[in-house]
Amino acid sequence: MLRLEGITAGYEGTRVLRDIGLEAKEGMATVLIGPNGAGKSTTLKVINGLLHPTGGRVVFQGNDITKIPAHERAARGIASCPEGRRLFPLLTAEGNLRLGAYSPRGRAAAEETLASVYDLFPRLRERANVKAGRLSGGEQQMVAIGRALMSKPTILVLDEPSLGIAPKLVSEIFEKIQQLRKGGLTVLMVEQNAYQALRIADFGYVMQEGRIVMDGPPDRLLDLEDLRKAYFAIP
Amino acid sequence: MADFVALFLTDLVLGLLLGCVLAVIAHGLNIIWGVAKVVNVAHGEFIMLGAYGAYFLYLYGGFNPLLSVPIDAAIGLVVGMGFYFGFLYRELRGKESMGLQSELVTLVSTFGLSLVIVNIAQSIWEHPVGILWSPGAAQVGPVPVPFGGLYVAVVSVALIALTDLFLTRTYLGNAIRAYTQDIPATQLMGINPTVVAAVGIGMGFSVTMAGGALLTVWLPTGIDPTKIGILYAPISFVIVVLGGPGKMWGSLVGGLTIGLIINVGQLFLGGSIALATAVAVLTLIPILLFRPEGILR
């Protein structure tokens, strides 16, 4: 479905990513874990097109999309839930959701998708007319995920969905992501909260200092003693 | 005393009517500045071009200023988009947001544009020219209400309402509002930032030039290229700041405030419009001190 091949990227001269290769397979939940500053978010920016790599290829559904701008990638079905959520604070919750359906594939079915997003997150139906900037962290995350879903995506790319929200809501958000994946959506997720992320994943990659250092099915990654020590702080 | 009441009411009504047209010319700036984040120092010159547009349509087509509004608006849309691609596109392409540096680039480039336009205009048109259009007036009690000013006020408010509907009810309009808040996030929604910026700026120029056409009704001494830009650009900036940049109805609130202060104010300032205009501009100080986000919340 989505593949990175030998990606090298960075910001203004500093190289952040070195030779990154990974694949998000269709219908699966793939997670990318690793400590702060490992380059996880940068990897997602290469995927959604906000950062152009200096080397390597991004392949989506068999097509090389390395040179395609971010807005066209979104229109092709790569929906992003970016780091820090990046909602439009002055638009209402529903205004944010509706904008998610901007591209033709989303617009055609906007009303139905909106109803299904409200079914997934009933809380948002009550908060529909509240400006996004006034929502709680958890509600904002729901809007961000809902907004990404509004485009009727082929793949949902999530950057740290557990960041900055109440612990009680974290497991709820993960449950919903799992629910979406069971509904057939391909998911690629970056998380610092590695333990919970791996529990809902089909495959995992571990990043460290701009490289992929390990990969494998989640139970194998969870078993690795050194990984536990390094990333999960589980003695 | 009865005389004074009649004068007061007349100035009140005229102030409101003038306020509407001031609102619409400031509205163009509000869109360009508040929505597209471009500081258009050449704003006054585009008001002037709109006024000349109305003049030539009157001269060669017999159009009254109201009829030239849609044509001026269409020209403004094209001019605005041309301005975006000619001056701003290369600077803004790939930018995550309008930083201070980009705003300065817009400021300098529009300042240059303003000098070019005003000097060309002054060398072509040496004398003020005017449009002869007087649809009459109605007497309401002691107050004469000029139909010209009334029609212009109605069209002005309608234009503001239309832009507000466009920005809040359509996909493209909401995309423009989103662009103001977070450019990379709009891209993740599948929105092409170049298209959105071009439409936003085009729309601002469109309203500005349409406003210039409407303003001609309020220029009894004709269109004077040495005066329009100098007078109406600062007033527009004041109105936008009063109402709150980026707030569509803020233009109307600011415009009515300034219109009233100028017209009613001169009644108490010995009939001096210049002094009343100075007072109107001074209202900026308390507003910036106590409500920097503008009158509208």
Side-chain angles (χ1 to χ4, degrees), chain A residues 2-3 13 25 41-42 53-54 64 66 70 100 107 130 134 163 171 184 192 205 209 220 224 228 235:
Chain A
L2 183 90
R3 208 164 61 239
K25 291 209 171 78
S41 293
T42 307
T54 47
D64 185 342
T66 317
R107 214 179 284 197
V130 179
R134 294 179 174 275
L163 197 72
S171 41
Q192 253 202 109
Y205 291 90
E209 288 167 9
R220 227 194 81 215
L224 292 169
R228 285 178 171 236

Side-chain angles (χ1 to χ4, degrees), chain A residues 5 17 22 24 43-44 55 72 94 96 106 114 151 201 222:
Chain A
E5 296 172 357
L17 302 182
L22 63 80
T43 307
L44 291 197
E72 281 179 34
E94 187 164 316
N96 271 276
L114 186 64
S151 65
L222 284 167

Side-chain angles (χ1 to χ4, degrees), chain B residues 198-229:
Chain B
V199 172
I201 292 171
M203 187 171 132
F205 277 79
S206 175
V207 172
T208 302
M209 288 191 61
L214 292 168
L215 183 68
T216 56
V217 175
W218 286 90
L219 299 172
T221 55
I223 304 160
D224 184 344
T226 59
K227 288 199 180 129
I228 287 199

Side-chain angles (χ1 to χ4, degrees), chain B:
Chain B
M1 189 60 201
D3 278 359
F4 182 78
V5 170
L7 269 177
F8 179 79
L9 287 175
T10 305
D11 278 318
L12 195 70
V13 169
L14 288 178
L16 290 173
L17 295 179
L18 174 68
C20 290
V21 76
L22 292 182
V24 82
I25 60 174
H27 193 55
L29 184 73
N30 192 357
I31 295 168
I32 299 168
W33 183 26
V35 179
K37 298 284 175 215
V38 171
V39 184
N40 182 20
V41 183
H43 181 64
E45 280 63 46
F46 285 99
I47 297 172
M48 180 188 77
L49 290 182
Y52 274 114
Y55 170 71
F56 286 114
L57 286 166
Y58 158 77
L59 194 64
Y60 297 113
F63 284 47
N64 72 42
L66 298 181
L67 293 176
S68 53
V69 163
I71 300 170
D72 258 17
I75 296 171
L77 190 67
V78 175
V79 168
M81 288 187 175
F83 176 75
Y84 172 73
F85 285 108
F87 284 85
L88 302 175
Y89 175 65
R90 283 202 315 183
E91 168 65 22
L92 300 181
R93 181 179 47 185
K95 283 272 161 70
E96 293 227 335
S97 62
M98 282 289 286
L100 192 60
Q101 196 199 345
S102 303
E103 277 194 50
L104 283 177
V105 167
T106 69
L107 193 138
V108 173
S109 61
T110 55
F111 182 62
L113 190 65
S114 131
L115 290 179
V116 171
I117 296 175
V118 81
N119 282 298
I120 291 176
Q122 286 177 18
S123 63
I124 301 177
W125 301 302
E126 290 178 356
H127 305 290
V129 289
I131 297 172
L132 292 174
W133 183 57
S134 39
Q139 194 71 26
V140 182
V143 180
V145 180
F147 283 131
L150 189 63
Y151 299 153
V152 162
V154 170
V155 174
S156 300
V157 176
L159 274 175
I160 295 172
L162 264 179
T163 56
D164 183 59
L165 280 177
F166 172 71
L167 287 174
T168 54
R169 300 288 164 87
T170 67
Y171 274 105
L172 186 57
N174 276 301
I176 293 173
R177 291 203 296 157
Y179 174 88
T180 323
Q181 298 168 44
D182 189 337
I183 298 174
T186 59
Q187 287 174 274
L188 296 181
M189 304 298 106
I191 296 164
N192 183 342
T194 303
V195 169
V196 165
V199 172
I201 292 171
M203 187 171 132
F205 277 79
S206 175
V207 172
T208 302
M209 288 191 61
L214 292 168
L215 183 68
T216 56
V217 175
W218 286 90
L219 299 172
T221 55
I223 304 160
D224 184 344
T226 59
K227 288 199 180 129
I228 287 199
I230 292 168
L231 181 59
Y232 291 100
I235 287 187
S236 298
F237 272 97
V238 170
I239 289 172
V240 172
V241 174
L242 279 185
K247 293 170 193 154
M248 295 299 100
W249 292 105
S251 312
L252 188 63
V253 171
L256 291 176
T257 310
I258 294 298
L260 280 177
I261 294 176
I262 290 177
N263 256 294
V264 178
Q266 53 91 21
L267 198 59
F268 298 94
L269 294 166
S272 168
I273 298 234
L275 213 52
T277 307
V279 171
V281 172
L282 284 177
T283 55
L284 258 193
I285 295 171
I287 285 290
L288 285 176
L289 278 177
F290 300 112
R291 275 190 79 106
E293 76 276 26
I295 296 173
L296 280 192
R297 282 235 181 257

Side-chain angles (χ1 to χ4, degrees), chain A residues 61-136:
Chain A
Q61 291 177 322
N63 301 312
D64 185 342
I65 59 163
T66 317
K67 295 223 150 49
I68 287 182
H71 63 270
E72 281 179 34
R73 295 189 196 188
R76 286 188 184 201
I78 301 177
S80 297
C81 206
E83 191 179 16
R85 303 181 280 268
R86 304 290 282 258
L87 297 183
F88 304 110
L90 302 176
L91 300 184
T92 61
E94 187 164 316
N96 271 276
L97 291 175
R98 285 188 181 279
L99 213 49
Y102 186 87
S103 58
R105 60 189 296 140
R107 214 179 284 197
E111 297 306 319
E112 296 160 41
T113 324
L114 186 64
S116 69
V117 167
Y118 283 150
D119 289 343
L120 187 67
F121 299 114
R123 177 93 186 117
L124 294 185
R125 206 188 299 263
E126 299 158 33
R127 307 286 276 165
N129 295 318
V130 179
K131 289 213 168 114
R134 294 179 174 275
L135 298 172
S136 74

